[in-house]
Amino acid sequence: MSRDATPDPYADPLVFGQRLQILRTRKGMTREQLGGLVGKSGSWVKGVETGRLKTPRLEVILHIAEVLRVRDLSDLTGDQSVRVDLFMGPGHPRLGAVKTAVDAFPLTTQREAPPAAHLSARLARAWAARHSAPNHREVIGALLPDLIRDAQLAVRQAETASERRAGLAALAEVYSLAQFFVAYQPDAALLWRVAERGLIAAQESEDPHAIGVAAWLTTQAHRDAGPTHYEAADAVNLETLAYLEPLLPDASDDVLAITGALTFEAGYTAARRGQTGTAWRYWDQARAMADRLPDAYYHPVTSFSRAIMGAHAVTVAVELHQGGESVRQAAAADAVTIPSRPRRARHRIEEARGYQLDGQPDVALATLTKAHEAAPETIKYNGYAKRIVLEEAESRIPARRRRASELAVKLGLLAA
């Protein structure tokens, strides 16, 4: 390798500190930022990176991996004999068929597109299945290929401008459903194709709700890509809010809900940055919007509702690393009121993160067990949950180690 070449963190014999420095730099984080997020100082990070300090304990390595959103633990440790997917799950068996449908570029049509009402009913059933099925990826993965092809046909065969706009809104919604499936799959390029196509279809539809949903998902994709993408997340998020807010006086419940969901997302990104006041201010604004919705209302895509605001409060507190506050918010939130199984599981994972921050690992593991019961396919792809389970599988307390190991087997992290 030449003197000017950038080292590859995946090539031996780089030591842990070198890998840490390369991965941290690629995420655009300073030593002080990383240190603060893992409860250490910038000088401690420098010491590890330069080899002055020894490789940290497993629990610290897992925390670093979480903060840096390391996809595979071996990317950080260099140990290729034990590969553990954290924020990237194994490829779903239906990923290939979904990818083929997304990548297709149909210029000719040999069949008639289904009626708009038929397509709308299928989408409604798909969303309902996603929220009710514990194996939600399997369910929507089976539905997506035909939905993608039929929605594309509906746009191509539209005879009037209004029909085309309606078809584009439906296509954008199909891409939104696809993004839930593609997230955390080992194909980042596919995720971005789906997100961008959904955003373009929504913009061309001129439908405020479709635009809001596509922006909501694109914001999440940017934020999950790491700190260097936070500005892009805010750009999409805040621009869409500026477009939607003037419409709110006469807005439908769905448009009000997607505006509330986007408002919370702005707070979520602020919490990732450690901006406490800004994060809670956006949460307060989102709660005010939720209070304007009917008691039983539940947004079919984002889960935004009155019931979800307690779960959102837990997320904000956890992202701000406020252990005590996250536990207090978890006690106030009632997960049973969340109708969506995957969203309920996600809330349980956030609660578990809060209990872990608060020094209650046994409660965290019990909460992760509830998450697994609600939606196994949600926790299987969640890096935060995996980090807690792997850390506690090394516990010195036999009962805790056994419980964590049993859960690790269920998640595919350890062999049975």
Side-chain angles (χ1 to χ4, degrees):
M1 182 174 66
S2 69
R3 184 182 301 273
D4 296 330
T6 300
D8 183 353
Y10 311 120
D12 291 324
L14 291 180
V15 298
F16 177 85
Q18 292 172 305
R19 290 174 179 272
L20 174 60
Q21 182 175 6
I22 294 165
L23 292 169
R24 172 185 60 77
T25 303
R26 287 184 177 180
K27 289 294 184 181
M29 299 181 73
T30 65
R31 285 168 171 160
E32 288 71 23
Q33 288 172 329
L34 176 60
L37 290 171
V38 298
K40 302 290 185 179
S41 65
S43 61
W44 179 87
V45 175
K46 181 178 181 181
V48 173
E49 290 181 348
T50 59
R52 181 173 56 83
L53 298 177
K54 65 181 181 180
T55 301
R57 303 188 311 276
L58 175 63
E59 64 186 77
V60 180
I61 292 175
L62 289 168
H63 199 176
I64 292 171
E66 175 187 325
V67 170
L68 293 178
R69 306 281 297 184
V70 172
R71 297 298 189 183
D72 191 301
L73 197 57
S74 64
D75 295 346
L76 179 60
T77 65
D79 184 358
Q80 299 297 315
S81 64
V82 181
R83 302 187 64 84
V84 178
D85 292 317
L86 289 172
F87 290 92
M88 184 70 72
H92 194 279
R94 295 193 182 275
L95 178 62
V98 173
K99 175 180 168 60
T100 297
V102 171
D103 289 346
F105 187 58
L107 290 175
T108 60
T109 59
Q110 298 180 353
R111 62 188 179 88
E112 187 175 349
H118 184 261
L119 188 59
S120 178
R122 286 165 60 192
L123 265 169
R125 287 196 297 271
W127 285 117
R130 181 189 179 270
H131 289 302
S132 62
N135 58 333
H136 51 91
R137 285 184 186 273
E138 172 65 22
V139 172
I140 65 173
L143 298 173
L144 275 170
D146 285 341
L147 274 172
I148 292 169
R149 285 188 283 266
D150 286 348
Q152 290 173 337
L153 278 178
V155 174
R156 283 188 52 77
Q157 296 179 10
E159 296 181 351
T160 67
S162 61
E163 286 181 358
R164 178 176 171 77
R165 286 195 297 270
L168 285 163
L171 180 59
E173 188 174 345
V174 171
Y175 282 132
S176 296
L177 183 67
Q179 192 167 334
F180 278 100
F181 176 85
V182 173
Y184 307 117
Q185 296 292 305
D187 194 334
L190 179 62
L191 171 67
W192 284 109
R193 281 201 299 283
V194 169
E196 290 171 356
R197 290 184 187 182
L199 199 58
I200 291 170
Q203 289 173 332
E204 292 184 354
S205 78
E206 301 180 4
D207 182 291
H209 180 252
I211 291 170
V213 170
W216 181 78
L217 283 163
T218 303
T219 294
Q220 293 187 353
H222 279 301
R223 186 177 59 237
D224 286 348
T228 55
H229 288 251
Y230 289 172
E231 288 188 9
D234 277 341
V236 174
N237 198 343
L238 300 181
E239 182 71 18
T240 308
L241 282 174
Y243 161 73
L244 291 173
E245 284 169 352
L247 307 177
L248 293 184
D250 301 314
S252 65
D253 288 341
D254 284 348
V255 172
L256 175 59
I258 193 59
T259 306
L262 282 163
T263 301
F264 168 70
E265 290 301 316
Y268 194 162
T269 306
R272 282 274 179 92
R273 285 193 173 106
Q275 298 170 338
T276 303
T278 302
W280 286 115
R281 175 170 57 83
Y282 277 121
W283 181 86
D284 283 333
Q285 292 174 2
R287 180 181 60 179
M289 294 181 190
D291 288 343
R292 292 170 55 185
L293 294 167
D295 289 342
Y297 177 87
Y298 199 79
H299 190 260
V301 180
T302 68
S303 297
F304 190 79
S305 58
R306 292 187 179 189
I308 208 68
M309 292 312 300
H312 282 337
V314 174
T315 296
V316 170
V318 168
E319 293 295 345
L320 291 170
H321 302 280
Q322 299 173 341
E325 179 63 21
S326 60
V327 169
R328 285 190 290 274
Q329 293 292 349
D334 184 3
V336 177
T337 65
I338 301 177
S340 169
R341 291 180 73 118
R343 187 61 186 85
R344 196 184 319 149
R346 167 71 186 281
H347 173 52
R348 291 300 192 191
I349 293 167
E350 296 296 282
E351 286 184 319
R353 293 177 67 196
Y355 287 122
Q356 185 81 351
L357 282 170
D358 199 48
Q360 301 184 54
D362 291 313
V363 182
L365 288 173
T367 306
L368 288 179
T369 299
K370 293 179 181 178
H372 188 268
E373 292 168 355
E377 285 193 344
T378 294
I379 188 172
K380 180 179 180 179
Y381 290 87
N382 189 283
Y384 302 118
K386 293 176 184 178
R387 193 265 294 177
I388 294 172
V389 170
L390 287 171
E391 182 177 325
E392 298 309 328
E394 297 287 326
S395 172
R396 295 182 180 179
I397 300 175
R400 184 183 303 159
R401 185 170 63 247
R402 182 172 59 255
R403 172 180 280 184
S405 297
E406 290 171 353
L407 192 51
V409 169
K410 292 179 181 178
L411 300 183
L413 298 175
L414 295 176

